[in-house]
Amino acid sequence: MSIINLGLQNVALKRSDMSLDSEIIFKSLGTIEDIRNASSFNQTLSEELKMAIKNTQKTLETRTERLKLKNQKFKCIEPAALEEINGLFEILGEKIDNTVTQNGTSQNKLRTCVDLQKFIKSHCLIQEYSFQIKKCGESDCLICDPVRLTHEIFNQLHYIPDPQISSNPDHYQDFDSLYGQNTTEKDIPSKKNHHECKELAPSGILVAARVRDFVFCISCSKLRCLFSQYVLDDSDYEALQTAMETFAYTCGSPIVPENHFLYDKVFVRMNLTCNLPIEQVYYSCKIEHSQICYYCGEEDNLVELLQEILSQFQTVYPLCEVCQERGKNFFTKGKIQM
Ligand SMILES: [Zn+2]
Ligand SMILES: [Zn+2]
Ligand SMILES: [Zn+2]
């Protein structure tokens, strides 16, 4: 179990009550999205909700901050406030790229923001575990303010390196020996092949015909298939929707905690990691599903399928322009013998 989960062992959480009016409105709201929408129109509900979860947040914060990793205590930070998010987009628009909008931040949308892409190339480093921004140090840069540190110190500031395995394969190299070196992500734990783990689903369940719904991984935003022996009835389906909103799903974990009544009923493949493509059963399942890129799960900007490829293979999986630019080809199955 991960350390962060230890902090939540044997803890029950309950929010405080709101005014009767707000409670009545709240009862009629089903999903997190409904709640967000309603509170954006209803100031009282929004304020009362924030107050009602204060104690719960405090409890979670205290418990989390008692955890330690290598003698360092966990820290909780305040989530970004709406004003801060607005402020960030304002600066982005003014200084970097005025085509970036707050409701268009998918990878495919951002790819079309030319100036933003230039900025990311020259000032940022995006890695699996980190996003780093650094002044470029060019005196004619229109975005950065002049460097205030002395040049000797500024020139010694580097991006944080990636973890790299040392000569002993059980250990990583220490930070000091890597700082300032060119490193790659080849050794990060999530890129390593995980040991096969035992599936929770009984055999015969993880097949296209038993796909009943999908869940988004909050880490890689790929859709993963949910399976069950029988079609879910309305109440199970509703409970599943609530569970998916309550428990943030990430690849490789079960869909609900062990004590949930759906634990033995609804399954997700356990042998999944975020760097694995979309499951092939996604494309062949019987429930409604949209065409999404096999590698990243994007729905927009799919590369047009050429007749030439279609005629050579029984199955050709969708590919998006971003993945194609990164060197991926159409993933295919079943070469047709001519
Ligand atoms: Zn700059
Ligand atoms: Zn994932
Ligand atoms: Zn893609």
Side-chain angles (χ1 to χ4, degrees), residues 56-71:
T56 320
Q57 285 174 313
K58 194 79 220 144
T59 309
L60 290 175
E61 206 174 292
T62 330
R63 294 193 61 108
T64 307
E65 291 188 339
R66 279 163 55 195
L67 300 169
K68 275 185 192 171
L69 176 65
K70 298 197 174 168
N71 265 330

Side-chain angles (χ1 to χ4, degrees), residues 107-108 293-298 302 318-324:
Q107 219 180 67
N108 266 308
C293 173
Y294 174 73
Y295 297 100
C296 71
E298 264 289 346
L302 294 181
L319 170 72
C320 79
E321 290 174 6
V322 175
C323 289
Q324 190 178 47

Side-chain angles (χ1 to χ4, degrees), residues 167-230:
S167 48
N168 172 351
D170 290 336
H171 289 276
Y172 283 97
Q173 296 182 45
D174 60 27
F175 179 84
D176 292 332
S177 65
L178 290 174
Y179 190 55
Q181 309 282 326
N182 275 332
T183 55
T184 68
E185 295 195 292
K186 69 174 173 39
D187 290 337
I188 65 173
S190 45
K191 290 262 157 87
K192 298 265 153 214
N193 286 331
H194 284 255
H195 299 294
E196 279 274 301
C197 70
K198 199 172 170 323
E199 290 296 347
L200 295 170
S203 63
I205 296 282
L206 301 177
V207 295
R210 306 242 187 276
V211 174
R212 310 297 177 192
D213 204 350
F214 309 108
V215 60
F216 264 109
C217 164
I218 56 151
S219 177
C220 67
S221 2
K222 283 178 197 143
L223 280 174
R224 300 305 190 190
C225 297
L226 297 179
F227 306 82
S228 67
Q229 172 84 41
Y230 303 106

Side-chain angles (χ1 to χ4, degrees), residues 75-108:
K75 275 186 211 149
C76 296
I77 53 168
E78 294 281 323
L82 195 60
E83 301 88 72
E84 292 170 306
I85 298 172
N86 292 340
L88 174 76
F89 277 89
E90 227 165 80
I91 295 174
L92 250 171
E94 267 167 35
K95 285 207 134 189
I96 299 171
D97 191 329
N98 60 15
T99 64
V100 181
T101 58
Q102 253 187 78
N103 42 21
T105 52
S106 74
Q107 219 180 67
N108 266 308

